[in-house]
Amino acid sequence: INIGQTELLPQGALGKLSNEPSVSIIVPTYNEENNIEACLRSLRALEYSTYEIIVSDGGSKDRTVELAKPFADKIIVDSFLPEGWIGKNWGCHLGVQEATGQLLLFTDADTTHTRGSLRKAVKVMQQKNAALVSMIPFQQMERWWEKIIPIYFFLSFLVIGGKKRVNDPNKKDSFMAVGQYLLFSREAYNKIGGHVNIKGSIVEDYAFARVVKTLLGSLYLMDNHRLVSARMYPDSVSQCWVGWKKCLYAGLRITPGRGIIFIVFFVLWALFAPFTIILTIFFGSWITITIMSISYCLYSLILAHYWNSRGQKSLITYLCYPLLLILSLIHI
């Protein structure tokens, strides 16, 4: 399905933006009728000179395709999934076949984009000469089960050793990208073999980051500054647990040993600190109680500081993180 659409640009913008590289924005979908209109509406309003929006649908049973028609330039509907492929990766691969842009942006249907987000990301890519630019979208959290999201992102942060390490081309064992926003130069995408190279990976973002960092050494994880936002698991607690469980199992297989050690250490610290406080109240000294209480508060402050600009603030997460960790471990 090809749908012509005039891009929404501020008056007089074409002259100023003529040197910007063209971008193909590829949105893989499957039963996304609750998200797709808001996502595409925000993409259609981007302040950027030359871009196209390609929706690659895996055969949705709901109104996803119908709702996408007024906003997309091209819609691909293909429910066939070749052996060895993950559905999202196949959808992105099909989207690339129809793409004409010099740059490729893969973004999820649960994201919304500010008008200047694409221009900012492209500028960062050019300044850093990066093959892949990614960011963590600002995470919206409304339901109680969504409060676990900051902890998972924080553990990922510990694994990679921080953004500075990810962006250092010499630190080959530190890599991270977020599938909700992956901006490739087309040359780099083709050079690493595109989605064909990671076709069976559930955590395609992590797999891409590893390949780009290893082969090209030009990965850049940028700050979000609320340029893009997302809400990952709004529908149910089971959706949240299943989603994170799949990512955890797949991610650990390609995580360096150093990162796994960091995760184990901080999880144990988070779990044992509150129980130690309770035990020391009955059996310990005031000095021990004070030390353990400071330890508990320190973890809360570190978590809050990390999450401050990355997502919706949550006192439940900061104060009740041991309980959230226990719940997640039970479901895993």
Side-chain angles (χ1 to χ4, degrees):
I1 304 174
N2 293 313
I3 305 168
Q5 181 74 32
T6 302
E7 295 159 17
L8 302 181
L9 290 169
Q11 189 173 8
L14 284 175
K16 293 188 298 182
L17 307 180
S18 60
N19 293 326
E20 291 180 331
S22 60
V23 181
S24 293
I25 304 173
I26 299 169
V27 186
T29 59
Y30 183 75
N31 291 342
E32 292 284 356
E33 67 176 2
N34 293 331
N35 300 313
I36 191 63
E37 187 171 0
C39 174
L40 296 184
R41 190 180 295 275
S42 71
L43 290 174
R44 183 51 63 194
L46 288 170
E47 295 176 347
Y48 197 84
S49 56
T50 308
Y51 69 97
E52 62 180 352
I53 300 173
I54 302 172
V55 172
S56 184
D57 188 79
S60 293
K61 308 302 182 185
D62 60 9
R63 299 171 61 233
T64 297
V65 174
E66 176 187 346
L67 294 173
K69 286 180 180 180
F71 305 99
D73 297 298
K74 301 172 185 175
I75 297 179
I76 304 162
V77 179
D78 190 332
S79 58
F80 173 72
L81 183 64
E83 184 178 354
W85 282 83
I86 297 296
K88 179 181 179 181
N89 297 338
W90 176 244
C92 290
H93 174 72
L94 292 178
V96 172
Q97 310 313 304
E98 299 295 326
T100 61
Q102 297 166 273
L103 306 181
L104 302 170
L105 171 60
F106 301 97
T107 191
D108 289 352
D110 60 5
T111 59
T112 55
H113 304 245
T114 60
R115 289 177 179 267
S117 57
L118 180 58
R119 179 172 296 151
K120 174 64 175 177
V122 171
K123 184 177 180 180
V124 168
M125 169 172 276
Q126 292 173 329
Q127 290 176 339
K128 304 298 181 181
N129 194 28
L132 168 61
V133 168
S134 185
M135 70 173 82
I136 302 174
F138 187 86
Q139 300 295 317
Q140 302 287 350
M141 306 176 300
E142 302 294 338
R143 308 288 187 175
W144 67 265
W145 60 81
E146 296 175 276
K147 308 302 183 182
I148 190 68
I149 290 174
I151 296 177
Y152 281 118
F153 273 109
F154 179 58
L155 293 178
S156 298
F157 175 79
L158 294 176
V159 167
I160 66 175
K163 185 168 72 74
K164 184 176 180 180
R165 190 176 176 89
V166 170
N167 295 338
D168 185 341
N170 297 315
K171 308 296 184 183
K172 300 296 186 182
D173 61 343
S174 291
F175 44 85
M176 182 181 182
V178 180
Q180 293 168 323
Y181 202 95
L182 299 172
L183 179 63
F184 281 94
S185 72
R186 186 151 197 158
E187 180 183 1
Y189 178 84
N190 292 334
K191 189 174 292 186
I192 64 172
H195 279 83
V196 175
N197 195 10
I198 52 93
K199 62 183 180 180
S201 177
I202 295 174
V203 284
E204 88 291 348
D205 46 9
Y206 201 42
F208 264 139
R210 182 188 188 189
V211 173
V212 170
K213 190 69 178 288
T214 302
L215 298 183
L216 305 180
S218 53
L219 169 67
Y220 194 83
L221 184 64
M222 65 179 284
D223 292 320
N224 185 317
H225 300 302
R226 301 204 182 199
L227 294 170
V228 181
S229 62
R231 190 173 175 198
M232 297 178 66
Y233 302 115
D235 295 334
S236 67
V237 62
S238 61
Q239 179 195 38
C240 182
W241 298 134
V242 170
W244 280 114
K245 181 166 62 176
K246 289 193 300 184
C247 292
L248 178 63
Y249 286 154
L252 285 176
R253 288 201 295 268
I254 57 176
T255 298
R258 173 186 56 80
I260 295 176
I261 291 174
F262 272 121
I263 288 180
V264 172
F265 172 78
F266 275 89
V267 167
L268 290 177
W269 178 18
L271 290 177
F272 284 115
F275 296 111
T276 306
I277 292 173
I278 295 173
L279 290 175
T280 52
I281 289 175
F282 293 101
F283 305 107
S285 64
W286 284 108
I287 295 177
T288 307
I289 294 173
T290 301
I291 292 174
M292 296 312 302
S293 297
I294 291 175
S295 176
Y296 187 95
C297 293
L298 181 61
Y299 195 104
S300 296
L301 290 173
I302 291 173
L303 184 58
H305 176 73
Y306 165 77
W307 194 245
N308 180 53
S309 62
R310 292 178 171 87
Q312 187 175 336
K313 294 178 176 59
S314 171
L315 287 176
I316 292 177
T317 304
Y318 307 151
L319 298 178
C320 303
Y321 59 83
L323 177 61
L324 291 173
L325 272 173
I326 290 172
L327 287 173
S328 65
L329 290 173
I330 289 173
H331 282 82
I332 289 173

